[in-house]
Amino acid sequence: DAKTTQPPSMDCAEGRAANLPCNHSTISGNEYVYWYRQIHSQGPQYIIHGLKNNETNEMASLIITEDRKSSTLILPHATLRDTAVYYCIVRVAGGNQGGKLIFGQGTELSVKP
Amino acid sequence: GAVVSQHPSRVICKSGTSVKIECRSLDFQATTMFWYRQFPKQSLMLMATSNEGSKATYEQGVEKDKFLINHASLTLSTLTVTSAHPEDSSFYICSASLLMGGYTFGSGTRLTVV
């Protein structure tokens, strides 16, 4: 699976949009971009994933560049409860169930009042 | 949604004893489950992959005789830390892959060996 690069930490003001970048310049054509987050002392929580089109759900939006070498996770109105470590992971999905998920260092997002 | 129940959430044990951690898939069958460990301020590190009915596959550097994994049914996988020592104190997390893609994670077990 392709490697990802994320900034180690970011701050965001409560109520503002949090934009978390991720570089995955070696991504393959059949690899998806997944985002998970981990709140302190809990298991990771799925946020969103996408292949090449932008995606939106109730939690966040995922913007993937046209060349797919980078992406941005957007939390439109960050709250204090969004303070967590956010992990961007690329891997094959769909018919390849069971493949292992490898975590990088992630971005520690601190939402401040 | 698919839920994995992990138990216990925290455990304290004496050095030299063994500890078992359980992960159950509550509303789906988990053919493949993964076990991670996480030290403070670090990312999750994959320890092993377990497939129902077969031996687990361990990542490089993980002692298979120390971290015993059993995946005897499609809804239960267990990790036993044998002869635990203080350096085994960590946060252990299980995960299951989903048929439709993606993964779901347990809530983690905080192990403290004293």
Side-chain angles (χ1 to χ4, degrees):
Chain A
D1 296 325
K3 183 177 178 179
T4 62
T5 304
Q6 299 176 252
S9 64
M10 291 182 64
D11 289 341
C12 177
E14 187 179 19
R16 304 296 292 269
N19 298 287
L20 291 90
C22 180
N23 286 324
H24 31 78
S25 58
T26 61
I27 191 170
S28 301
N30 61 347
E31 286 185 312
Y32 285 69
V33 180
Y34 283 88
W35 283 85
Y36 286 80
R37 73 179 182 184
Q38 185 181 26
I39 296 171
H40 182 62
S41 294
Q42 297 182 25
Q45 175 190 24
Y46 168 80
I47 302 173
I48 199 168
H49 76 284
L51 183 62
K52 53 183 177 182
N53 296 324
N54 298 336
E55 302 288 339
T56 295
N57 62 22
E58 64 279 4
M59 290 182 69
S61 294
L62 174 61
I63 307 298
I64 303 174
T65 58
E66 194 169 337
D67 63 7
R68 302 208 325 122
K69 292 185 177 182
S70 65
S71 61
T72 302
L73 177 74
I74 301 172
L75 307 178
H77 305 287
T79 70
L80 299 179
R81 286 179 293 182
D82 292 321
T83 292
V85 179
Y86 288 76
Y87 296 98
C88 166
I89 304 167
V90 297
R91 66 153 284 106
V92 179
N96 292 277
Q97 295 85 13
K100 54 191 179 184
L101 201 64
I102 304 298
F103 285 79
Q105 294 306 306
T107 295
E108 185 170 10
L109 175 69
S110 296
V111 181
K112 300 183 184 298
Chain B
V3 174
V4 170
S5 175
Q6 185 171 347
H7 178 80
S9 59
R10 57 177 65 233
V11 58
I12 301 173
C13 72
K14 291 185 177 181
S15 187
T17 63
S18 296
V19 174
K20 180 184 284 188
I21 302 170
E22 291 188 349
C23 271
R24 295 181 183 272
S25 56
L26 296 185
D27 47 5
F28 68 102
Q29 294 182 329
T31 304
T32 303
M33 296 191 83
F34 306 89
W35 288 93
Y36 295 82
R37 66 188 297 183
Q38 185 176 32
F39 292 108
K41 299 291 185 181
Q42 294 187 23
S43 184
L44 286 77
M45 183 190 79
L46 181 67
M47 299 174 68
T49 302
S50 74
N51 291 296
E52 184 267 337
S54 62
K55 288 184 179 180
T57 302
Y58 290 81
E59 295 298 305
Q60 191 174 11
V62 178
E63 299 175 60
K64 62 179 181 181
D65 294 329
K66 180 168 186 62
F67 299 100
L68 301 179
I69 292 172
N70 184 284
H71 194 166
S73 79
L74 286 171
T75 58
L76 174 64
S77 177
T78 61
L79 166 68
T80 301
V81 183
T82 63
S83 187
H85 291 285
E87 58 265 30
D88 299 322
S89 298
S90 189
F91 191 55
Y92 293 86
I93 306 168
C94 64
S95 172
S97 63
L98 304 174
L99 280 176
M100 68 288 292
Y103 302 77
T104 186
F105 289 81
S107 54
T109 297
R110 174 76 57 195
L111 170 63
T112 302
V113 184
V114 297

